[in-house]
Amino acid sequence: MKFIIQKEIFNKIDNLIVGVVVAKGIDNSKEYPEINKLLDESIKLAESRFLDKKVKEEETIIPYREAFQNLGINPNKYQCSVEAMFTRISKGKGLPHINPLVDLNNAISLKYTLPMGTHNLALSNEDIEL
């Protein structure tokens, strides 16, 4: 399995930085109260951060919207993951707890305004392509 980024993406977003973390031996069915707490704290901070504000106009979100536009993706139709989470939270819809790794990913994403994804590599042998 490979993580592949099309060269075209780097041509259109010349300041793109991508990181990949692979974690092994994690019991994702176990409860981790620390992770639940981290996600709940991140959600509360997001609620206060976007109170009476439009998420898409936030200075930390604009670069992601511009990157989507550079790639020919309409950011009003397709939001990056962190914008979608902030928008959901700002509308009072909260954010569900899914499983420990996704919850940790979401907590970090919200805390640092960073689009992130979590994939279970055991479920597929396909390459992950951006």
Side-chain angles (χ1 to χ4, degrees), residues 33-90:
E34 318 82 23
I35 293 174
N36 289 336
K37 183 180 174 188
L38 279 173
L39 180 57
D40 290 340
E41 288 171 353
S42 294
I43 292 168
K44 282 190 185 283
L45 285 171
E47 287 170 343
S48 63
R49 177 178 172 187
F50 290 101
L51 186 65
D52 299 324
K53 291 184 183 176
K54 290 185 179 183
V55 173
K56 70 180 184 178
E57 294 173 359
E58 175 71 20
E59 67 182 43
T60 57
I61 295 296
I62 291 171
Y64 300 121
R65 294 180 61 80
E66 290 172 348
F68 271 35
Q69 287 173 332
N70 289 343
L71 293 170
I73 300 168
N74 180 346
N76 293 316
K77 187 172 181 181
Y78 301 102
Q79 299 172 328
C80 74
S81 60
V82 73
E83 180 181 358
M85 287 191 294
F86 281 139
T87 299
R88 178 186 169 102
I89 292 166
S90 73

Side-chain angles (χ1 to χ4, degrees), residues 3-5 9-10 13 15-21 115 130:
F3 184 78
I4 301 167
I5 303 173
I9 292 176
F10 287 107
I13 309 170
N15 62 346
L16 178 66
I17 299 172
V18 176
V20 176
V21 175
L130 181 65

